[in-house]
Amino acid sequence: MPEHIVHILPEQVASQIAAGEVVERPASAVKELVENSLDAGARSVSVEILGGGSALIAVADDGCGMTRADAILSLRRHATSKIRSAADLSAIRTLGFRGEALASIASVSHLRMQTRRAADEHGAEVAAEAGNIEDTRTCAMAAGTRIEVRQLFFNTPARLKFLKKLATEQGAIAEAFQRSALANHRIAFCLTADGRTIFDLPRANSVLERFRQVFGPRIASRMLAFGLDRPGIRAQGLAATSQESFATGRMIFTFVNGRSVRDRMLIRAIEQAYQTLIPRGRHPAALLFVDMRHEDVDVNVHPMKTEVRFRNGGAVFDVVYHALRDRLADQTENAPVATLVDAPAAGGEAPAPSADDAAMGPVTTASMGEDARAGDSAPNPRGDAPLRLVPDAPTEKAFQRPLSLAYDRDARGGGAAVASHAPAPIPMYSKLRVIGQIFAGYIALETEEGLLLIDQHAAHERVTFEKLRRELRDGGIRTQAMLAPVPVELNPARASQVHGALSELRAMGFEVEPFGPTTLLLKGAPAVFGPEGGAKLLTDMIESMGDNESGFRGGGEAAFENWLKQLACHGSVRVGRVLELAEIHSLLAELDRTEFKTNCPHGRPVHIQFGRGQIERMFRR
């Protein structure tokens, strides 16, 4: 056996290992290079790819640029202009800071960098292969930086072998590009793939305008601006109405201090805000920006910088949840939003920051690029001004070619062209003319725009659910005593489970006592339903609790909400019941006094609208 088995890896091997952590696939390289451009104060960023990014990635910007010496130094590991000491890691204000990305990309590719500062007469060009600098020269170019990465992973065949199909890698690059564009609406972005323009996005005046540029007018017209400020934390952004949902969660975008992150807690807060508003298994569209003190969030968690840790995660969750939930409670277009502050267009003057803004520090700070984009400081177009979320008419035409990503089928209706239109306001049902009831299950109303059909069961279910939930949070669901106790027989296989859940049943308004091993004695039922039919309601609830994921084990507030959904469902007026006109008016009035009235607790729509023009076209008018 050899005397020494521990040895130091060669520098080139160590660099390739580091590259595997930072540059997982071509999309990772695009992300890092674009973030370099943003940190360098670029006003315009263009990306060109060939062969899904493995043949060529070219990123050009008009940022601050570098000197020849800094350009050479930037290709070395741990070379950066962002931090100088360990103390700087406690409050990172730039997208990049590790000094690894550019060196890692260079170590697994043929890289050529051209860069020039505005004050310099000539630019500098540096060529490197597998991390080794091969050539340097002067070049003529406009101020900024252009980096070309060719034959990515040419010297790491194992990594190259695990790349996906060209279309898959191109889609991943497009999604990384989207996230950068959504977070920086004041910057122009362009992406071309194999000579085909995928995105051409001019500078936008608002987040909503940028969202419209990226995803099109149809889904943009269904987005609501939301915002909430708490000491040291601001949550704001755009969220889809409760009548819009998607098969996957890929339309949820989360940003912390301008950095795109994948944080489970933030996604859970968004999804939980939509509970009872969209069908189970469906996901909302949301664009969330969380701004907080830089020292309260740790971004030095993973080399790819997509994960963060919060000093007080519970407070962040609470702010995000309530910002969304409060907005979804009133989905009208003119609902008040706490933190919508107009920001200036390019070249304008920023409003004075508030006291809370000063305490939090700027949302993003002017800085030079990740991985030693050194040189003179440049103005950061992202700036310190709050995000502008209000809609503006686009001043320039944006272009986007469909990409066959996850949102295409849901948002674009299978690729069909969709005209831009304003979001439909949430109607006041009780103020509309009642035409009547059809099929003993749907209430027909006349609006100025056309015909509205209301599912009477879904409407009553939402009204009942909100009443029950309010009572439960006020201490317990009110119970109405029955004239005489009613015995309820239990399935012997479930009897012991039911006896163990008596406290939960009582909390839901059922006054029950054990009456033998397989029998309960029902003495009262939830007052919202009245005592009639209480025994059947209890039997239905026991059956549904047994089918519930948490069974009879409890499970906290989430389990109670699921049971309340079942209780509201079983106790609400059914399709097939003929309603008197007075009952219809009473139901509509109660619905208008209810939060989240457009969807039942399971997320199904309460109403469907048929436009007057649609009806007239059907008659060929």
Side-chain angles (χ1 to χ4, degrees), residues 57-91:
I57 296 171
V59 177
D61 66 61
D62 56 358
C64 63
M66 290 182 284
T67 64
R68 176 179 178 276
D70 284 331
I72 294 173
L73 187 61
S74 70
L75 297 181
R76 296 183 58 181
R77 290 183 64 195
H78 311 305
T80 181
S81 63
K82 314 304 175 54
I83 62 173
R84 295 190 177 276
S85 67
D88 295 334
L89 293 173
S90 62

PDB file of all heavy atoms in Angstrom, residues 57-91:
ATOM      1  N   ILE A  57     -22.898  30.601 -26.265  1.00  0.00           N
ATOM      2  CA  ILE A  57     -23.648  31.540 -25.438  1.00  0.00           C
ATOM      3  C   ILE A  57     -22.914  32.869 -25.552  1.00  0.00           C
ATOM      4  O   ILE A  57     -21.727  32.957 -25.219  1.00  0.00           O
ATOM      5  CB  ILE A  57     -23.711  31.112 -23.961  1.00  0.00           C
ATOM      6  CG1 ILE A  57     -24.464  29.790 -23.798  1.00  0.00           C
ATOM      7  CG2 ILE A  57     -24.372  32.199 -23.111  1.00  0.00           C
ATOM      8  CD1 ILE A  57     -24.375  29.221 -22.391  1.00  0.00           C
ATOM      9  N   ALA A  58     -23.591  33.901 -26.036  1.00  0.00           N
ATOM     10  CA  ALA A  58     -22.995  35.233 -26.149  1.00  0.00           C
ATOM     11  C   ALA A  58     -23.887  36.218 -25.404  1.00  0.00           C
ATOM     12  O   ALA A  58     -25.070  36.338 -25.723  1.00  0.00           O
ATOM     13  CB  ALA A  58     -22.846  35.643 -27.608  1.00  0.00           C
ATOM     14  N   VAL A  59     -23.314  36.900 -24.424  1.00  0.00           N
ATOM     15  CA  VAL A  59     -24.054  37.886 -23.634  1.00  0.00           C
ATOM     16  C   VAL A  59     -23.349  39.224 -23.785  1.00  0.00           C
ATOM     17  O   VAL A  59     -22.150  39.350 -23.498  1.00  0.00           O
ATOM     18  CB  VAL A  59     -24.116  37.486 -22.147  1.00  0.00           C
ATOM     19  CG1 VAL A  59     -24.830  38.557 -21.335  1.00  0.00           C
ATOM     20  CG2 VAL A  59     -24.824  36.142 -21.995  1.00  0.00           C
ATOM     21  N   ALA A  60     -24.086  40.230 -24.264  1.00  0.00           N
ATOM     22  CA  ALA A  60     -23.522  41.565 -24.472  1.00  0.00           C
ATOM     23  C   ALA A  60     -24.331  42.576 -23.673  1.00  0.00           C
ATOM     24  O   ALA A  60     -25.559  42.451 -23.551  1.00  0.00           O
ATOM     25  CB  ALA A  60     -23.544  41.936 -25.953  1.00  0.00           C
ATOM     26  N   ASP A  61     -23.637  43.586 -23.107  1.00  0.00           N
ATOM     27  CA  ASP A  61     -24.317  44.621 -22.326  1.00  0.00           C
ATOM     28  C   ASP A  61     -23.643  45.959 -22.552  1.00  0.00           C
ATOM     29  O   ASP A  61     -22.587  46.041 -23.169  1.00  0.00           O
ATOM     30  CB  ASP A  61     -24.320  44.252 -20.842  1.00  0.00           C
ATOM     31  CG  ASP A  61     -22.928  44.234 -20.233  1.00  0.00           C
ATOM     32  OD1 ASP A  61     -22.269  45.282 -20.232  1.00  0.00           O
ATOM     33  OD2 ASP A  61     -22.497  43.165 -19.733  1.00  0.00           O
ATOM     34  N   ASP A  62     -24.287  47.012 -22.053  1.00  0.00           N
ATOM     35  CA  ASP A  62     -23.728  48.356 -22.119  1.00  0.00           C
ATOM     36  C   ASP A  62     -23.381  48.866 -20.716  1.00  0.00           C
ATOM     37  O   ASP A  62     -23.559  50.038 -20.407  1.00  0.00           O
ATOM     38  CB  ASP A  62     -24.698  49.320 -22.808  1.00  0.00           C
ATOM     39  CG  ASP A  62     -26.064  49.360 -22.134  1.00  0.00           C
ATOM     40  OD1 ASP A  62     -26.266  48.608 -21.148  1.00  0.00           O
ATOM     41  OD2 ASP A  62     -26.921  50.153 -22.569  1.00  0.00           O
ATOM     42  N   GLY A  63     -22.895  47.953 -19.880  1.00  0.00           N
ATOM     43  CA  GLY A  63     -22.549  48.291 -18.504  1.00  0.00           C
ATOM     44  C   GLY A  63     -21.224  49.028 -18.396  1.00  0.00           C
ATOM     45  O   GLY A  63     -20.683  49.553 -19.378  1.00  0.00           O
ATOM     46  N   CYS A  64     -20.653  49.016 -17.190  1.00  0.00           N
ATOM     47  CA  CYS A  64     -19.490  49.859 -16.903  1.00  0.00           C
ATOM     48  C   CYS A  64     -18.203  49.368 -17.556  1.00  0.00           C
ATOM     49  O   CYS A  64     -17.274  50.141 -17.758  1.00  0.00           O
ATOM     50  CB  CYS A  64     -19.279  49.952 -15.397  1.00  0.00           C
ATOM     51  SG  CYS A  64     -18.889  48.380 -14.594  1.00  0.00           S
ATOM     52  N   GLY A  65     -18.112  48.094 -17.912  1.00  0.00           N
ATOM     53  CA  GLY A  65     -16.912  47.585 -18.542  1.00  0.00           C
ATOM     54  C   GLY A  65     -15.746  47.449 -17.568  1.00  0.00           C
ATOM     55  O   GLY A  65     -15.850  47.759 -16.379  1.00  0.00           O
ATOM     56  N   MET A  66     -14.601  46.971 -18.096  1.00  0.00           N
ATOM     57  CA  MET A  66     -13.425  46.738 -17.258  1.00  0.00           C
ATOM     58  C   MET A  66     -12.162  47.176 -17.983  1.00  0.00           C
ATOM     59  O   MET A  66     -12.141  47.299 -19.211  1.00  0.00           O
ATOM     60  CB  MET A  66     -13.304  45.245 -16.908  1.00  0.00           C
ATOM     61  CG  MET A  66     -14.339  44.720 -15.952  1.00  0.00           C
ATOM     62  SD  MET A  66     -14.055  42.975 -15.568  1.00  0.00           S
ATOM     63  CE  MET A  66     -14.637  42.195 -17.069  1.00  0.00           C
ATOM     64  N   THR A  67     -11.106  47.342 -17.224  1.00  0.00           N
ATOM     65  CA  THR A  67      -9.783  47.554 -17.807  1.00  0.00           C
ATOM     66  C   THR A  67      -9.220  46.211 -18.256  1.00  0.00           C
ATOM     67  O   THR A  67      -9.737  45.147 -17.906  1.00  0.00           O
ATOM     68  CB  THR A  67      -8.837  48.177 -16.780  1.00  0.00           C
ATOM     69  OG1 THR A  67      -8.650  47.243 -15.700  1.00  0.00           O
ATOM     70  CG2 THR A  67      -9.395  49.484 -16.231  1.00  0.00           C
ATOM     71  N   ARG A  68      -8.133  46.244 -19.001  1.00  0.00           N
ATOM     72  CA  ARG A  68      -7.492  45.007 -19.458  1.00  0.00           C
ATOM     73  C   ARG A  68      -7.020  44.180 -18.272  1.00  0.00           C
ATOM     74  O   ARG A  68      -7.231  42.955 -18.235  1.00  0.00           O
ATOM     75  CB  ARG A  68      -6.306  45.340 -20.366  1.00  0.00           C
ATOM     76  CG  ARG A  68      -5.501  44.139 -20.833  1.00  0.00           C
ATOM     77  CD  ARG A  68      -4.352  44.574 -21.741  1.00  0.00           C
ATOM     78  NE  ARG A  68      -3.552  43.423 -22.135  1.00  0.00           N
ATOM     79  CZ  ARG A  68      -2.561  42.915 -21.383  1.00  0.00           C
ATOM     80  NH1 ARG A  68      -2.276  43.455 -20.195  1.00  0.00           N
ATOM     81  NH2 ARG A  68      -1.876  41.868 -21.814  1.00  0.00           N
ATOM     82  N   ALA A  69      -6.421  44.815 -17.278  1.00  0.00           N
ATOM     83  CA  ALA A  69      -5.913  44.076 -16.115  1.00  0.00           C
ATOM     84  C   ALA A  69      -7.051  43.412 -15.350  1.00  0.00           C
ATOM     85  O   ALA A  69      -6.940  42.254 -14.921  1.00  0.00           O
ATOM     86  CB  ALA A  69      -5.130  45.026 -15.202  1.00  0.00           C
ATOM     87  N   ASP A  70      -8.168  44.129 -15.169  1.00  0.00           N
ATOM     88  CA  ASP A  70      -9.293  43.544 -14.440  1.00  0.00           C
ATOM     89  C   ASP A  70      -9.945  42.418 -15.237  1.00  0.00           C
ATOM     90  O   ASP A  70     -10.428  41.429 -14.669  1.00  0.00           O
ATOM     91  CB  ASP A  70     -10.324  44.620 -14.112  1.00  0.00           C
ATOM     92  CG  ASP A  70      -9.889  45.515 -12.959  1.00  0.00           C
ATOM     93  OD1 ASP A  70      -9.133  45.024 -12.102  1.00  0.00           O
ATOM     94  OD2 ASP A  70     -10.300  46.686 -12.919  1.00  0.00           O
ATOM     95  N   ALA A  71      -9.981  42.561 -16.552  1.00  0.00           N
ATOM     96  CA  ALA A  71     -10.561  41.504 -17.387  1.00  0.00           C
ATOM     97  C   ALA A  71      -9.760  40.207 -17.240  1.00  0.00           C
ATOM     98  O   ALA A  71     -10.331  39.108 -17.141  1.00  0.00           O
ATOM     99  CB  ALA A  71     -10.596  41.950 -18.842  1.00  0.00           C
ATOM    100  N   ILE A  72      -8.436  40.313 -17.238  1.00  0.00           N
ATOM    101  CA  ILE A  72      -7.594  39.124 -17.061  1.00  0.00           C
ATOM    102  C   ILE A  72      -7.790  38.542 -15.665  1.00  0.00           C
ATOM    103  O   ILE A  72      -7.941  37.330 -15.494  1.00  0.00           O
ATOM    104  CB  ILE A  72      -6.108  39.491 -17.307  1.00  0.00           C
ATOM    105  CG1 ILE A  72      -5.907  39.886 -18.768  1.00  0.00           C
ATOM    106  CG2 ILE A  72      -5.201  38.338 -16.920  1.00  0.00           C
ATOM    107  CD1 ILE A  72      -4.519  40.435 -19.058  1.00  0.00           C
ATOM    108  N   LEU A  73      -7.828  39.412 -14.662  1.00  0.00           N
ATOM    109  CA  LEU A  73      -7.971  38.940 -13.289  1.00  0.00           C
ATOM    110  C   LEU A  73      -9.330  38.302 -13.046  1.00  0.00           C
ATOM    111  O   LEU A  73      -9.464  37.372 -12.239  1.00  0.00           O
ATOM    112  CB  LEU A  73      -7.762  40.115 -12.322  1.00  0.00           C
ATOM    113  CG  LEU A  73      -7.710  39.792 -10.832  1.00  0.00           C
ATOM    114  CD1 LEU A  73      -6.540  38.850 -10.527  1.00  0.00           C
ATOM    115  CD2 LEU A  73      -7.612  41.072 -10.009  1.00  0.00           C
ATOM    116  N   SER A  74     -10.350  38.756 -13.764  1.00  0.00           N
ATOM    117  CA  SER A  74     -11.712  38.246 -13.523  1.00  0.00           C
ATOM    118  C   SER A  74     -11.862  36.777 -13.850  1.00  0.00           C
ATOM    119  O   SER A  74     -12.809  36.122 -13.397  1.00  0.00           O
ATOM    120  CB  SER A  74     -12.717  39.052 -14.344  1.00  0.00           C
ATOM    121  OG  SER A  74     -12.589  38.776 -15.725  1.00  0.00           O
ATOM    122  N   LEU A  75     -10.935  36.214 -14.663  1.00  0.00           N
ATOM    123  CA  LEU A  75     -11.034  34.807 -15.040  1.00  0.00           C
ATOM    124  C   LEU A  75     -10.393  33.884 -14.010  1.00  0.00           C
ATOM    125  O   LEU A  75     -10.391  32.671 -14.189  1.00  0.00           O
ATOM    126  CB  LEU A  75     -10.394  34.583 -16.409  1.00  0.00           C
ATOM    127  CG  LEU A  75     -11.061  35.328 -17.580  1.00  0.00           C
ATOM    128  CD1 LEU A  75     -10.362  35.002 -18.886  1.00  0.00           C
ATOM    129  CD2 LEU A  75     -12.545  34.979 -17.667  1.00  0.00           C
ATOM    130  N   ARG A  76      -9.855  34.440 -12.950  1.00  0.00           N
ATOM    131  CA  ARG A  76      -9.290  33.623 -11.878  1.00  0.00           C
ATOM    132  C   ARG A  76     -10.339  33.374 -10.812  1.00  0.00           C
ATOM    133  O   ARG A  76     -11.218  34.205 -10.567  1.00  0.00           O
ATOM    134  CB  ARG A  76      -8.066  34.323 -11.271  1.00  0.00           C
ATOM    135  CG  ARG A  76      -6.911  34.500 -12.248  1.00  0.00           C
ATOM    136  CD  ARG A  76      -5.705  35.117 -11.571  1.00  0.00           C
ATOM    137  NE  ARG A  76      -5.247  34.300 -10.436  1.00  0.00           N
ATOM    138  CZ  ARG A  76      -4.219  34.633  -9.661  1.00  0.00           C
ATOM    139  NH1 ARG A  76      -3.542  35.745  -9.889  1.00  0.00           N
ATOM    140  NH2 ARG A  76      -3.860  33.847  -8.663  1.00  0.00           N
ATOM    141  N   ARG A  77     -10.257  32.217 -10.166  1.00  0.00           N
ATOM    142  CA  ARG A  77     -11.219  31.869  -9.113  1.00  0.00           C
ATOM    143  C   ARG A  77     -11.092  32.828  -7.944  1.00  0.00           C
ATOM    144  O   ARG A  77     -10.001  33.259  -7.578  1.00  0.00           O
ATOM    145  CB  ARG A  77     -10.996  30.440  -8.624  1.00  0.00           C
ATOM    146  CG  ARG A  77     -11.382  29.379  -9.651  1.00  0.00           C
ATOM    147  CD  ARG A  77     -11.204  28.001  -9.062  1.00  0.00           C
ATOM    148  NE  ARG A  77     -12.110  27.774  -7.938  1.00  0.00           N
ATOM    149  CZ  ARG A  77     -11.980  26.772  -7.062  1.00  0.00           C
ATOM    150  NH1 ARG A  77     -10.956  25.945  -7.156  1.00  0.00           N
ATOM    151  NH2 ARG A  77     -12.851  26.619  -6.092  1.00  0.00           N
ATOM    152  N   HIS A  78     -12.257  33.152  -7.353  1.00  0.00           N
ATOM    153  CA  HIS A  78     -12.371  34.003  -6.167  1.00  0.00           C
ATOM    154  C   HIS A  78     -11.900  35.431  -6.434  1.00  0.00           C
ATOM    155  O   HIS A  78     -11.499  36.130  -5.507  1.00  0.00           O
ATOM    156  CB  HIS A  78     -11.606  33.408  -4.984  1.00  0.00           C
ATOM    157  CG  HIS A  78     -11.903  31.965  -4.739  1.00  0.00           C
ATOM    158  ND1 HIS A  78     -13.175  31.500  -4.547  1.00  0.00           N
ATOM    159  CD2 HIS A  78     -11.083  30.871  -4.683  1.00  0.00           C
ATOM    160  CE1 HIS A  78     -13.147  30.188  -4.378  1.00  0.00           C
ATOM    161  NE2 HIS A  78     -11.895  29.777  -4.465  1.00  0.00           N
ATOM    162  N   ALA A  79     -11.966  35.855  -7.689  1.00  0.00           N
ATOM    163  CA  ALA A  79     -11.676  37.246  -8.022  1.00  0.00           C
ATOM    164  C   ALA A  79     -13.004  37.969  -8.174  1.00  0.00           C
ATOM    165  O   ALA A  79     -13.831  37.583  -9.003  1.00  0.00           O
ATOM    166  CB  ALA A  79     -10.877  37.331  -9.324  1.00  0.00           C
ATOM    167  N   THR A  80     -13.244  39.002  -7.386  1.00  0.00           N
ATOM    168  CA  THR A  80     -14.525  39.701  -7.404  1.00  0.00           C
ATOM    169  C   THR A  80     -14.357  41.143  -6.981  1.00  0.00           C
ATOM    170  O   THR A  80     -13.435  41.477  -6.229  1.00  0.00           O
ATOM    171  CB  THR A  80     -15.547  39.001  -6.477  1.00  0.00           C
ATOM    172  OG1 THR A  80     -16.787  39.706  -6.534  1.00  0.00           O
ATOM    173  CG2 THR A  80     -15.052  38.956  -5.043  1.00  0.00           C
ATOM    174  N   SER A  81     -15.239  41.991  -7.454  1.00  0.00           N
ATOM    175  CA  SER A  81     -15.253  43.392  -7.041  1.00  0.00           C
ATOM    176  C   SER A  81     -16.360  43.660  -6.024  1.00  0.00           C
ATOM    177  O   SER A  81     -16.543  44.800  -5.610  1.00  0.00           O
ATOM    178  CB  SER A  81     -15.487  44.283  -8.269  1.00  0.00           C
ATOM    179  OG  SER A  81     -16.759  44.001  -8.835  1.00  0.00           O
ATOM    180  N   LYS A  82     -17.093  42.608  -5.607  1.00  0.00           N
ATOM    181  CA  LYS A  82     -18.287  42.798  -4.800  1.00  0.00           C
ATOM    182  C   LYS A  82     -18.014  42.846  -3.300  1.00  0.00           C
ATOM    183  O   LYS A  82     -18.662  43.590  -2.576  1.00  0.00           O
ATOM    184  CB  LYS A  82     -19.289  41.661  -5.073  1.00  0.00           C
ATOM    185  CG  LYS A  82     -19.493  41.344  -6.533  1.00  0.00           C
ATOM    186  CD  LYS A  82     -19.919  42.570  -7.320  1.00  0.00           C
ATOM    187  CE  LYS A  82     -20.000  42.266  -8.789  1.00  0.00           C
ATOM    188  NZ  LYS A  82     -20.819  41.144  -9.148  1.00  0.00           N
ATOM    189  N   ILE A  83     -17.108  42.023  -2.827  1.00  0.00           N
ATOM    190  CA  ILE A  83     -16.818  41.966  -1.395  1.00  0.00           C
ATOM    191  C   ILE A  83     -15.310  41.990  -1.190  1.00  0.00           C
ATOM    192  O   ILE A  83     -14.544  41.637  -2.084  1.00  0.00           O
ATOM    193  CB  ILE A  83     -17.421  40.705  -0.735  1.00  0.00           C
ATOM    194  CG1 ILE A  83     -16.823  39.432  -1.340  1.00  0.00           C
ATOM    195  CG2 ILE A  83     -18.937  40.699  -0.861  1.00  0.00           C
ATOM    196  CD1 ILE A  83     -17.244  38.160  -0.642  1.00  0.00           C
ATOM    197  N   ARG A  84     -14.901  42.400   0.012  1.00  0.00           N
ATOM    198  CA  ARG A  84     -13.471  42.451   0.332  1.00  0.00           C
ATOM    199  C   ARG A  84     -13.124  41.717   1.609  1.00  0.00           C
ATOM    200  O   ARG A  84     -11.972  41.397   1.857  1.00  0.00           O
ATOM    201  CB  ARG A  84     -13.010  43.908   0.430  1.00  0.00           C
ATOM    202  CG  ARG A  84     -13.102  44.645  -0.898  1.00  0.00           C
ATOM    203  CD  ARG A  84     -12.430  45.998  -0.836  1.00  0.00           C
ATOM    204  NE  ARG A  84     -12.468  46.654  -2.135  1.00  0.00           N
ATOM    205  CZ  ARG A  84     -11.592  46.448  -3.108  1.00  0.00           C
ATOM    206  NH1 ARG A  84     -10.599  45.596  -2.923  1.00  0.00           N
ATOM    207  NH2 ARG A  84     -11.697  47.086  -4.260  1.00  0.00           N
ATOM    208  N   SER A  85     -14.123  41.475   2.467  1.00  0.00           N
ATOM    209  CA  SER A  85     -13.854  40.794   3.727  1.00  0.00           C
ATOM    210  C   SER A  85     -15.044  39.928   4.094  1.00  0.00           C
ATOM    211  O   SER A  85     -16.135  40.054   3.515  1.00  0.00           O
ATOM    212  CB  SER A  85     -13.585  41.812   4.848  1.00  0.00           C
ATOM    213  OG  SER A  85     -14.761  42.555   5.130  1.00  0.00           O
ATOM    214  N   ALA A  86     -14.852  39.057   5.089  1.00  0.00           N
ATOM    215  CA  ALA A  86     -15.939  38.177   5.542  1.00  0.00           C
ATOM    216  C   ALA A  86     -17.104  38.975   6.084  1.00  0.00           C
ATOM    217  O   ALA A  86     -18.265  38.531   6.026  1.00  0.00           O
ATOM    218  CB  ALA A  86     -15.413  37.211   6.601  1.00  0.00           C
ATOM    219  N   ALA A  87     -16.836  40.164   6.610  1.00  0.00           N
ATOM    220  CA  ALA A  87     -17.909  40.991   7.164  1.00  0.00           C
ATOM    221  C   ALA A  87     -18.909  41.398   6.087  1.00  0.00           C
ATOM    222  O   ALA A  87     -20.108  41.593   6.368  1.00  0.00           O
ATOM    223  CB  ALA A  87     -17.321  42.232   7.833  1.00  0.00           C
ATOM    224  N   ASP A  88     -18.447  41.513   4.838  1.00  0.00           N
ATOM    225  CA  ASP A  88     -19.342  41.907   3.747  1.00  0.00           C
ATOM    226  C   ASP A  88     -20.406  40.849   3.462  1.00  0.00           C
ATOM    227  O   ASP A  88     -21.444  41.152   2.868  1.00  0.00           O
ATOM    228  CB  ASP A  88     -18.542  42.178   2.468  1.00  0.00           C
ATOM    229  CG  ASP A  88     -17.603  43.365   2.612  1.00  0.00           C
ATOM    230  OD1 ASP A  88     -17.902  44.247   3.443  1.00  0.00           O
ATOM    231  OD2 ASP A  88     -16.582  43.400   1.907  1.00  0.00           O
ATOM    232  N   LEU A  89     -20.145  39.608   3.846  1.00  0.00           N
ATOM    233  CA  LEU A  89     -21.106  38.528   3.589  1.00  0.00           C
ATOM    234  C   LEU A  89     -22.385  38.678   4.402  1.00  0.00           C
ATOM    235  O   LEU A  89     -23.391  38.048   4.100  1.00  0.00           O
ATOM    236  CB  LEU A  89     -20.469  37.170   3.892  1.00  0.00           C
ATOM    237  CG  LEU A  89     -19.327  36.729   2.967  1.00  0.00           C
ATOM    238  CD1 LEU A  89     -18.686  35.458   3.483  1.00  0.00           C
ATOM    239  CD2 LEU A  89     -19.841  36.539   1.548  1.00  0.00           C
ATOM    240  N   SER A  90     -22.357  39.488   5.453  1.00  0.00           N
ATOM    241  CA  SER A  90     -23.535  39.640   6.308  1.00  0.00           C
ATOM    242  C   SER A  90     -24.584  40.543   5.686  1.00  0.00           C
ATOM    243  O   SER A  90     -25.730  40.567   6.160  1.00  0.00           O
ATOM    244  CB  SER A  90     -23.122  40.191   7.682  1.00  0.00           C
ATOM    245  OG  SER A  90     -22.543  41.480   7.544  1.00  0.00           O
ATOM    246  N   ALA A  91     -24.247  41.303   4.661  1.00  0.00           N
ATOM    247  CA  ALA A  91     -25.219  42.197   4.021  1.00  0.00           C
ATOM    248  C   ALA A  91     -24.860  42.345   2.551  1.00  0.00           C
ATOM    249  O   ALA A  91     -24.336  43.369   2.118  1.00  0.00           O
ATOM    250  CB  ALA A  91     -25.249  43.556   4.719  1.00  0.00           C
TER     251      ALA A  91
END
